[in-house]
Amino acid sequence: VQHTHWIMYDVRAPACVLLAFTLWIHVAVGIDNGIGVTPPRGWRSWNQFGTGISQPLIESQYQALVSRKRDVDGVATSLLDLGYASAGIDDGWQKCESGPGGVGFHDADGNPIVDTSKFPNLKAMTAKARSLGIVPGWYGNNCDCKETRPACAYNDSDLCFEGDVRATLEYGFGSVKLDSCGIQRNMTHYAELFNRSGKVVMLENCHNGNPIVPIREGGDRIDCPMNFFRTSGDIRPQWGSVLSNLMTTPDFNGGLTGPGCWGYPDMLEVGTYDMPTRGGLNFLTLTEARTHFAAWCIVSSPLILSHDLTNDTTMDAVWPIITNREALAVNDAWVGDAGMLIKKSDEMVPFTNCAWGFNQYCNHSASMVWKKQLSVNSVALLLMNNRNVSADVSVSWRGDIPKWQEKDSILCSADGCQVHDVYTHKDIGMFVDGFTAKRLAPHDSAFIIVNSTA
């Protein structure tokens, strides 16, 4: 048995480092700082609203998170009921060029300066969130009018780091996303400062630095001073971008992501549209949105919504996607497998708008099969058709599903393995050798759970 020691930054107690050990299937790891045991779920403002945010807008999203105006399985249900528990403001809260000499947005004492014309009372806003049962989230090391003053860099002083942590706690935020644009790029130091406070704050690393992603040290030691981290560049609501971001996860899902330290190929683009930061009218079809959501579920990604939760037309359309309890259960499941790509076609398909900016081209496999182990006798599979025409996508039980616990794939009885459809919530039959999703529409998928019957 291999043992992996995760360096964790415990935000519950004054101790600098917590070393714990949690049993995986083959690997024992210690990655529990008390939060983020399952992939976090919530909402963040950037993809839909960019810097065009305000306190009334954010508070309206809080209300939408707890609204039970829609049903799930015949029961009035809110997004909060389904675990979408956090709601974060992104870039745009700061008062630009308000620092000493008209540079940055920290005062001479290192305190971040809020644009009170947009956010007149952050304490009241976070109090409203908490009264509703929501964890309010903030954003630091901003990109808009980024902080460049040397006094804010860790090598020069603790001034702005301490000011950010102090403000996060005093305003009442329970999570913070730390970006990479400004001069404050030291995730380890942020974690240490939050640790000293003794307060529980979820940390999201958006390429911040030191480290940008978890680091394997000495073979079996993994340094992860954050609860989740970006594996990818910024996502766009275009199919090539979704695939490009998804394809960054295999580098981490083989042992660098798990409870308390989740890899994250960016926010969901389900339901976003006409974004000022993304060049205007562009969006995913509902078929693409469903596959996008399923893909994030099967690779154990945090599920961070980013569309306008108050838009009833959008919410009615995407509600069946984002509230699929079976898909959410796949996302939550943990037996040591964060989800992996097990099959892809040699045939490639070209795409445009694959990354931030325009005319960013990419090529991806015409079909893919992703797998996540749910138990010794059960696996989730996502069969994806990335072509622009309908096509079959197949998976073989014995030929494609990797070994698990020293036995060949999953074991079927003479009658086969039972296959369950996550999208329709129905058992669809027994299959002896494998499964073929026939004539999947362009960018559609089959999301199934395969249960051993041996």
Side-chain angles (χ1 to χ4, degrees), residues 308-383:
D308 184 357
L309 304 178
T310 69
N311 185 314
D312 283 336
T313 300
T314 298
M315 283 293 285
D316 288 344
V318 303
W319 187 256
I321 297 173
I322 63 178
T323 64
N324 185 326
R325 290 184 184 274
E326 293 183 17
L328 296 175
V330 170
N331 184 244
D332 280 343
W334 184 254
V335 294
D337 180 8
M340 60 191 297
L341 178 65
I342 62 169
K343 183 180 182 181
K344 60 180 180 178
S345 66
D346 292 332
E347 176 190 352
M348 304 295 283
V349 179
F351 296 94
T352 59
N353 294 334
C354 299
W356 187 267
F358 295 94
N359 299 320
Q360 301 291 317
Y361 299 100
C362 60
N363 295 286
H364 290 289
S365 295
S367 64
M368 298 174 178
V369 179
W370 296 79
K371 161 255 176 190
K372 181 178 180 180
Q373 199 80 23
L374 305 181
S375 70
V376 171
N377 298 313
S378 179
V379 296
L381 297 172
L382 183 68
L383 289 69

Side-chain angles (χ1 to χ4, degrees), residues 54-56 59 114-125:
S54 66
Q55 186 166 335
E59 291 182 355
V114 177
D115 184 346
T116 54
S117 70
K118 298 172 71 173
F119 291 91
N121 193 332
L122 281 183
K123 283 188 177 181
M125 188 185 78

Side-chain angles (χ1 to χ4, degrees), residues 290-291 293-299 321 324-331 370-372 374 379-384 419-426 428 435 437 440 444-450:
R290 185 175 73 165
T291 301
F293 187 82
W296 265 229
C297 286
I298 207 165
V299 297
I321 297 173
N324 185 326
R325 290 184 184 274
E326 293 183 17
L328 296 175
V330 170
N331 184 244
W370 296 79
K371 161 255 176 190
K372 181 178 180 180
L374 305 181
V379 296
L381 297 172
L382 183 68
L383 289 69
M384 297 173 57
V419 174
H420 178 84
D421 190 326
V422 173
Y423 292 147
T424 65
H425 315 301
K426 295 179 180 178
I428 54 179
F435 179 80
L440 280 176
D444 200 359
S445 57
F447 196 6
I448 60 175
I449 294 174
V450 184

Side-chain angles (χ1 to χ4, degrees), residues 252-305:
F252 302 95
N253 281 20
L256 288 174
T257 182
C261 181
W262 299 104
Y264 175 53
D266 207 356
M267 291 167 276
L268 291 159
E269 291 281 17
V270 176
T272 59
Y273 65 95
D274 197 19
M275 290 147 296
T277 58
R278 307 299 171 89
L281 186 62
N282 46 91
F283 52 86
L284 300 178
T285 67
L286 285 177
T287 295
E288 292 170 337
R290 185 175 73 165
T291 301
H292 169 31
F293 187 82
W296 265 229
C297 286
I298 207 165
V299 297
S300 305
S301 170
L303 301 176
I304 310 301
L305 304 170

